[in-house]
Amino acid sequence: MGIKKVGAKPQTLVEKIFFLDFIKGLKTTIKHLWKKVITVDFPYEVVTPPIRFRGIHGLRTVDGTENPEFDSWVKRLKIKPPEPGETRCIACKFCQAACPVPELFDIQSEKLDVPEDHPHYGLKVMTVFNMDLSKCTFCGLCTQACPTDCIIMTDIYDLSSYTRKSWVLDKDVLTQIANDFVARRGKEKFDEKSAWREDQKLWPEYDKTRERLWDFNMPRLGPNYQDQTA
Amino acid sequence: MAWISLEKAKKLEERFGYPKVSEGKGVVSVEVPKDKFIEFLTFLKEDPEYQFKMFIDLTIIDHGEKEDPRFQGVVILFSPKNQERIIVKTWAENETLPTLTNLWKGAKWAEREAWDMFGIKFEGHENLVRMLLWETYPYHPLRKDFPLEGIKDTELPSLNESLRGENLEGLFNYDRMHTALPTMEDLEITQKKRMPAKTSQIVLNWGPLHPGTHGTIWFLFDLDGEYVKQCDIIIGQLHRGVEKLGENVNWQQFIPYTDRMDYIAAINENHAYVLAAEKMLGIEVPEKAKWIRTMMAELSRINSHLLWLGTYALDLGALTMFLYTFREREKIMDIIEGITGARFTINYFRIGGVFADLPYGALDAIEHLIKDLPQRINDYETLLTRNRIWLSRNKDVCVITEEDVYQYGLTGAVARGSGVPYDVRKIDKYDAYGEVEFDIPVGEKGDSYDRYLVRMEEMRQSIRIIQQCIAKLRKMSKNDPYFFQTPDEKKLKVTIDGRGMKLPAGETYASSDNPRGELGFYIYNKKDGLKAHRMRIRSGAFYNLQVFTKAIIGRPIADAITLLSTIDPVVGETDR
């Protein structure tokens, strides 16, 4: 078992008389005097969050990139088959079951009011999907529980508002957030079957503000594993 | 694993007759009758063959109202000579237990906490007052009959929005009735009870909202001139009942709550918890997950130590240090954010591995960072280590002896600074720690300066571990699993989101070496369940903070800052 002793060495007389300890310290300070500013002037400049960032939630809509099990889930839960542009939510409440604070969700579904001979007779639609984000811990467990990749987390992080009421997002707002996000950065995050892409980058490389945090000396991102390609 | 062997425990059974040895999930526990409890523990502590002289933890299990006796005391001990642990249990008949404070001084706070949370009286305890809650609080919240949401007996209308008055609907309508809150009188009573006999002229209050305490800790100093004669600490301002929550949420869902205990090193908190749960399940996580977890835990350790160094130097007057360390820290946070999706409350580890593989370029960024870091650490050292002001503020200040380490159950850098090479990474060899090479830095004297040097060296050792992890991960394939794949879903279900995951009946204790000491999780399950019956969190910061009350005695008040900084508690973890 490797044990390494660390201990104090007393100051030598030379160090004491000539103030070598202070001079050495000053050298470090002076070295830093000529460096460029590394802080970001928020909110005039912003760092783009990484693609895995866990920000405000969104509800994705049907756009042809659903996972292979989507149709069977719709059938199993007796949900009206959604048209393109409608929500993917099947009101299964798996997100609520996986959530550490389940009371933040309010999910309801209703049977469609159609005559008996209608093809959608007896099927349900999701009608209410409220999320109280003031209770959310942004842990991301709901997104991992979702069988249809409907609930996602976007890169939006500024949640502040004047009233607590505006922290409760309903299904229209959540859908809008997800649509915006998918249009903006969907290709970066999801593959053609809505799963996480394998080659998600650590950071978006088009973001030039991040360079500043790294003393203008950014690492070049390459493959992690020996059989990984860009 | 570092537990006493079953045969050795059986020998105890033969020798005394009354102990009942049982095997938990990777742990060995001994049950003794209450009247023989102290005798048995004294034997364990003093017998040259066993020498369980280090106190790790004391807690209570509530078996439910119907059981008689209802409460069970659990003591975890460690033997530095044999490098093994043991659990000793006894039934608390008539809701009392004999005190352990004559054997281990560190039991003082643990017993106060047990009284606070379960209402167990410890006979012979010198001042059995509440630990986390205020003195006039009427309930014992960790009892099974206390509801999770508390007993709502106080009206607190101000939480409702004044604009809408009573007419709020749905999710954002807050109840007007709340759980009990302390008033000013309650706090005064609490303060008086905590330090019943004042010996000197002045009692100085430091905190609870002082910037030097780095959180909400309330110190009471009994001062004679400049020198401290007596000291007590009132904690609990950040008490959120994490243990109670752990008994009421599912296994994976508890991980976000552990993030919020020691928020400076959230990854290490997650690590200890998932280790305990995996030990309970009896599963091995995939190789890749092991190495990723080891690497992330060490990154988090550097992150935590950089924050410690910056604020410590800031407290002692070296402001620049704070700015330098935060620059490096920002880079680490940036990498962690890219890998896990969050900077602070990370929630990356899962029972069974990690929730996602490393993103493209992660290893390059970490490599880039640690290439630069040793030079930065040298920079910090030239600023501080030989500086004469730094030396005179730290050398020979608040010495913690080796005996204190065993008595108070000190762990982490505080124990290592006092010359005890206690490191759970070496003892338990969890995850990939058995396969990486690193040294344990130990100090000579146990003063603040040693603790500083130990933490500086720990950062260098962490860099060494990360280098080995990167080299190992580079050789792996992108298709290697990062999450446990169950051979039979019906028998053993392990999921990333945690729905439907059950842990078997039994008990276990597992710990990890947190930057602040040993963080242990003691889990007790009566039957297979979605939730724990008892989730005890052994917080390193809690026990380390306890030695403050001893080490500060006889020192001038200015040393309180130095001592507190070198102990480095995080209030989220001390209070839980």
Side-chain angles (χ1 to χ4, degrees), chain A residues 1-12 15-22 24-26 28-33 35 38 47 49-50 52-55 93-106 130-132 134-141 144-146 162-165 168 196 198-203 205 210 213-215 217-230, chain B residues 83 158-161 163-164 168 171-172 174 249-250 252-254 256-257 259-260 288 292 320 323-324 327-328 330-332 334-335 337-343 345-348 350 355-366 368-369 372 375-376 379-380 382-383 386-389 391 395 421 426 438-444 449-450 453-454 457 461 473-479 496-499:
Chain A
M1 180 156 83
I3 290 176
K4 191 168 179 178
K5 283 235 167 186
V6 293
K9 291 180 225 90
Q11 270 198 324
T12 57
E15 254 182 317
K16 258 186 203 160
I17 294 171
F18 293 103
F19 286 90
L20 286 184
D21 49 338
F22 287 172
K24 271 187 193 160
L26 264 179
T28 311
T29 316
I30 290 167
K31 212 165 68 187
H32 282 89
L33 199 63
K35 288 208 168 165
I38 59 158
V47 180
R52 287 185 175 183
F53 187 81
R54 301 200 299 259
K93 302 193 184 177
F94 281 6
C95 45
Q96 191 170 17
C99 183
V101 197
E103 60 268 26
L104 80 85
F105 284 99
D106 180 8
N130 287 340
M131 284 184 81
D132 183 355
S134 66
K135 289 176 186 152
C136 182
T137 61
F138 295 93
C139 64
L141 282 166
Q144 282 153 8
C146 188
Y162 286 104
T163 58
R164 274 206 299 271
K165 193 179 178 179
V168 183
W196 276 23
E198 256 183 44
D199 57 348
Q200 284 180 351
K201 293 237 165 59
L202 182 65
W203 309 307
E205 277 176 312
R210 175 165 271 109
L213 315 175
W214 282 82
D215 285 343
N217 178 21
M218 285 279 281
R220 271 197 44 228
L221 304 186
N224 292 329
Y225 307 111
Q226 51 178 356
D227 55 352
Q228 200 173 24
T229 46
Chain B
Q83 300 275 314
S158 62
L159 266 181
N160 277 322
E161 283 177 55
L163 269 177
R164 292 176 184 80
L168 289 167
L171 285 175
F172 35 92
Y174 287 72
V249 293
N250 295 357
Q252 295 287 29
Q253 292 167 18
F254 187 53
Y257 289 107
D259 279 334
R260 281 150 182 86
K288 195 178 183 178
I292 291 177
T320 1
L323 303 173
Y324 290 164
R327 178 190 54 197
E328 259 44 66
E330 177 59 40
K331 295 177 188 171
I332 298 180
D334 208 27
I335 292 172
E337 189 187 17
I339 294 174
T340 69
R343 291 163 64 87
T345 48
I346 288 148
N347 188 26
Y348 179 52
R350 291 285 186 277
F355 82 73
D357 203 349
L358 295 173
Y360 185 81
L363 290 183
D364 286 304
I366 297 172
H368 184 87
L369 172 93
D372 195 38
Q375 185 52 42
R376 295 282 89 82
D379 274 0
Y380 307 149
T382 41
L383 272 175
R386 312 290 299 149
N387 186 306
R388 63 193 66 191
I389 304 171
L391 280 166
K395 264 191 102 176
K426 287 274 189 197
F438 66 101
D439 299 330
I440 308 173
V442 292
E444 279 164 357
Y449 194 68
D450 274 353
L453 289 175
V454 163
E457 185 58 36
Q461 297 298 336
L473 281 167
R474 288 268 189 220
K475 289 196 200 105
M476 290 188 184
S477 158
K478 63 174 183 186
N479 299 323
I496 289 186
D497 60 353
R499 284 178 308 110

